[in-house]
Amino acid sequence: MHHSEIRSSSTVFTTLETGSGEPVLFLHGFPDNHKTFSPIMEVIGKKGFQCVAPVMRGYEPSTISHANKLHVVDLVNDILGWMDDRRWDTVHLVGHNWGAIIAYAAGMYYPNRFQSITNIGVPLLKTFQDSFLWAPLQTLHSWYVALFQIPYIAELTIRSNQFALVDFLWKDWSPGFTPNQDHLAEIKANFQNPGILSSALAYYRNLNDLFTESGRESIIGIFDTHVTVPTQVLYGLNDGCFHKNLFEHLLDESDFPMGFRKIGFDHAGHFLHWEKREEVTKLILEWLEINQ
């Protein structure tokens, strides 16, 4: 495993990399960092794949962007930029949390560029229109989204009591799991860098942006399109971030015409790749090999 750099246009992103062969991009979410996948990458990198985990836009000082550049469509364009930089015609995607949302969108916008998608802990967002029927408690699960919309107040709340909200979210989203404290300390330390936390929160603040072209394109793409890339979705049945019914009843293979499977795990939550690492690694590798 080594650190490297990857470019999108003129912007330089830090990465973790290991292995050689077909490229696999690992996309992290919030509140997290690119090291979240490193144990899984170590295994997969030994099986004939080049595993690359970039620090997502806005999560390091060199990529802090104006909020208007942090829509889903802009983040998908980063993936295309990374591919151009490395001269990759196609890649596999593995995403968790926001990384999963971006991976779904990439498969909608540019299906010919992606060989497979493995998403962890996030259903297809277009299913949210039916969530009140199948998962009325999702409104309670999503309380943090409303908080994150409030500039200054959200940042102040997250920073208070030595970033206690980061600890709470990991515990709430993965009940019964004890996270790696060194990993959480790195996440909190990064959020202390000027501008990083606000950039990370801009992902949420742009979810319903109808006032910019990239915002409208992001919303239309997410809600009106199928994912025409072979996709597997792995989720925990005790996920405190997304109610299990969003996976069990609303994730439909008709939205994934090129191939789809979903696998739920008992006694596991949102940070499934930490809680069930061996099983998740095995399933990711299997999906990669099926779709080579």
Side-chain angles (χ1 to χ4, degrees):
M1 188 78 68
H2 64 278
H3 291 279
S4 186
E5 293 180 345
I6 196 167
R7 293 178 180 271
S8 179
S9 186
S10 60
T11 305
V12 178
F13 297 77
T14 303
T15 73
L16 277 178
E17 299 192 30
T18 189
S20 61
E22 291 188 16
V24 186
L25 283 170
F26 289 78
L27 313 176
H28 72 82
F30 177 94
D32 210 346
N33 64 33
H34 65 315
K35 295 180 181 179
T36 195
F37 296 111
S38 56
I40 292 174
M41 292 167 60
E42 289 278 14
V43 175
I44 294 176
K46 296 175 182 177
K47 299 294 185 178
F49 295 93
Q50 181 183 3
C51 299
V52 181
V55 178
M56 300 300 289
R57 180 177 289 274
Y59 279 79
E60 59 184 332
S62 62
T63 68
I64 290 176
S65 301
H66 189 276
N68 287 341
K69 295 295 183 183
L70 286 166
H71 295 93
V72 169
V73 68
D74 301 309
L75 300 164
V76 170
N77 286 335
D78 279 339
I79 296 175
L80 298 180
W82 299 333
M83 294 171 67
D84 291 342
D85 182 53
R86 295 296 182 88
R87 298 182 180 179
W88 294 328
D89 292 328
T90 60
V91 300
H92 301 270
L93 297 177
V94 177
H96 174 252
N97 190 264
W98 264 102
I101 294 170
I102 297 161
Y104 281 133
M108 295 172 182
Y109 294 133
Y110 303 101
N112 294 334
R113 302 298 305 274
F114 304 102
Q115 290 179 254
S116 76
I117 295 171
T118 295
N119 277 341
I120 302 169
V122 178
L124 193 61
L125 288 185
K126 66 185 294 184
T127 63
F128 262 52
Q129 59 189 321
D130 298 319
S131 64
F132 290 106
L133 174 63
W134 287 103
L137 292 178
Q138 183 59 42
T139 302
L140 298 178
H141 286 328
S142 298
W143 61 268
Y144 62 92
V145 177
L147 169 64
F148 292 170
Q149 304 304 309
I150 310 172
Y152 306 111
I153 299 298
E155 283 86 342
L156 181 63
T157 301
I158 294 170
R159 289 193 179 100
S160 66
N161 195 20
Q162 299 181 335
F163 290 88
L165 186 59
V166 172
D167 296 302
F168 176 80
L169 290 176
W170 275 69
K171 182 177 181 179
D172 185 55
W173 292 354
S174 281
F177 171 64
T178 301
N180 182 294
Q181 293 303 305
D182 290 338
H183 185 68
L184 292 188
E186 286 195 6
I187 295 167
K188 296 173 187 177
N190 188 41
F191 285 156
Q192 292 180 11
N193 291 316
I196 298 292
L197 182 56
S198 293
S199 285
L201 294 177
Y203 285 49
Y204 293 93
R205 291 169 180 168
N206 286 337
L207 269 174
N208 299 308
D209 177 18
L210 293 172
F211 298 101
T212 64
E213 182 177 353
S214 58
R216 291 189 295 272
E217 185 178 351
S218 298
I219 294 171
I220 292 171
I222 289 174
F223 285 98
D224 286 352
T225 316
H226 292 87
V227 181
T228 50
V229 175
T231 300
Q232 74 167 340
V233 181
L234 311 177
Y235 59 96
L237 295 174
N238 294 330
D239 193 322
C241 183
F242 290 101
H243 193 278
K244 66 179 181 180
N245 284 356
L246 298 180
F247 301 97
E248 300 281 279
H249 297 292
L250 298 182
L251 263 181
D252 194 302
E253 63 182 358
S254 64
D255 291 320
F256 303 89
M258 299 304 293
F260 175 67
R261 75 176 182 184
K262 60 181 179 181
I263 300 173
F265 289 79
D266 288 323
H267 311 297
H270 189 63
F271 295 96
L272 185 65
H273 56 301
W274 285 84
E275 301 169 78
K276 302 289 184 180
R277 181 172 292 157
E278 291 185 5
E279 296 96 321
V280 168
T281 302
K282 181 180 178 180
L283 289 168
I284 293 173
L285 183 57
E286 182 179 287
W287 197 244
L288 293 173
E289 291 173 341
I290 289 172
N291 293 289
Q292 282 185 296

